[in-house]
Amino acid sequence: MSGASGTSGTDVRRVPIVAGNWKMNYGPAEAQTFVKQILDDLAAISGVERVLCPPAISLLAVENLTRPTDVKLGAQNMYFEEKGAYTGEISPLMLKGICQYVILGHSERRAYFGETDELVNRKARSAFAHNLRPIVCVGEQLEDRDAGRTERVLTEQVRGSLANLPAERLGELVVAYEPVWAIGTGRAATTQDAADAAALIRALLAEMYGVDAVAAVRVQYGGSVTAANAGEFAALPDVDGSLVGGASLKPEFVEIIRQTAQAKGV
Ligand code: PEP
């Protein structure tokens, strides 16, 4: 596995990472039933970081099962404050000790809950401050792509959501490129789209943090990833794995990770 890319000045070995975003599916009992079904197979794969992101209410139920393994957990969202009068929110202090990762700025959070780049950035900085690894999502809408605005939208999102992070800790950052038109539609991006976006994200981060710091950042592709296409995305040198929605709710998730391991040669 090589971490070198066209925009990376240092040859850093990045560990591939596949995360499953369960969205609003599987309460605690269902979550345990599903995890029991896949855990042995999931735990048996090495060389790829495997992250389950259940709904917040199911995190502890899943953690009870994953604790003896090296399967990691992620939350799907968090607020940036540590505690206080923020009804319905979950804080980094509450996630610490249960999760290693937190998804931030998913396009559904941006579209349905009004999350802005500024808010996502406050959350990302808070995640770093609390030693939670953020998986920050960026991606253009279909109308942006059709109007030739993909690069502009990604540039705004990267500069806005990923500003002022600790440069020396960018190995803890995961950026998920998720074109909105590919999420849940069964219409994945082409590998060329994913390669172009990953290269752009790395180039923008290199401008912000320097080429050496950015060599450690992991970039995922997300959007209708399946066992049939995961290997093609993982074979791209600038793509380090995938963020998986629908297919992470099925045993197919394990096969996606196997395909990723195979494509990366780990
Ligand atoms: C997602 O929700 O992040 C996602 C990529 O969904 P899907 O794999 O279902 O397209």
Side-chain angles (χ1 to χ4, degrees):
M1 163 187 53
S2 168
S5 78
T7 49
S8 302
T10 313
D11 187 14
V12 171
R13 290 170 73 83
R14 297 189 295 266
V15 178
I17 178 167
V18 177
N21 173 16
W22 294 4
K23 311 193 189 198
M24 201 170 69
N25 296 289
Y26 293 163
E30 295 166 304
Q32 285 205 328
T33 302
F34 175 57
V35 172
K36 281 179 187 162
Q37 207 185 334
I38 62 167
L39 190 58
D40 285 349
D41 290 338
L42 207 53
I45 304 169
S46 61
V48 177
E49 247 188 306
R50 293 133 288 153
V51 188
L52 299 176
C53 304
I57 195 156
S58 301
L59 279 168
L60 275 174
V62 173
E63 200 261 345
N64 262 315
L65 298 173
T66 54
R67 198 178 305 140
T69 75
D70 65 350
V71 173
K72 309 266 174 47
L73 277 193
Q76 296 176 14
N77 182 32
M78 68 167 207
Y79 197 51
F80 57 81
E81 295 285 4
E82 292 188 339
K83 62 179 179 175
Y86 304 102
T87 302
E89 292 295 315
I90 294 172
S91 89
L93 288 184
M94 295 168 184
L95 294 177
K96 247 175 103 155
I98 303 172
C99 294
Q100 295 77 32
Y101 286 89
V102 57
I103 299 172
L104 297 175
H106 190 279
S107 65
E108 288 149 17
R109 302 284 329 158
R110 293 175 186 261
Y112 306 144
F113 304 98
E115 295 206 5
T116 60
D117 289 327
E118 189 193 349
L119 178 62
V120 176
N121 184 238
R122 292 188 80 163
K123 293 181 177 197
R125 285 186 283 131
S126 175
F128 270 100
H130 294 91
N131 291 318
L132 289 162
R133 298 174 165 224
I135 300 174
V136 177
C137 303
V138 296
E140 79 285 0
Q141 312 257 5
L142 187 57
E143 57 263 35
D144 297 320
R145 173 158 287 262
D146 288 346
R149 287 195 301 260
T150 299
E151 190 170 330
R152 194 195 314 167
V153 168
L154 291 179
T155 301
E156 260 172 39
Q157 290 181 342
V158 168
R159 291 200 179 131
S161 303
L162 300 173
N164 300 313
L165 303 180
E168 70 289 355
R169 291 175 56 200
L170 287 193
E172 296 166 44
L173 172 67
V174 180
V175 184
Y177 168 59
E178 297 210 307
V180 179
W181 46 270
I183 296 178
T185 59
R187 179 189 162 200
T190 65
T191 49
Q192 189 61 53
D193 293 335
D196 290 348
L200 175 65
I201 290 164
R202 290 193 185 284
L204 291 165
L205 288 171
E207 279 171 23
M208 294 160 72
Y209 295 103
V211 167
D212 287 346
V214 169
V217 175
R218 290 178 293 176
V219 177
Q220 296 173 316
Y221 167 74
S224 297
V225 171
T226 64
N229 62 22
E232 291 167 31
F233 290 109
L236 300 169
D238 272 336
V239 172
D240 302 294
S242 47
L243 180 55
V244 186
S248 74
L249 297 167
K250 301 181 273 188
E252 182 181 2
F253 185 58
V254 177
E255 193 49 35
I256 288 172
I257 297 166
R258 286 199 192 107
Q259 296 298 327
T260 303
Q262 201 178 339
K264 289 296 186 198
V266 293

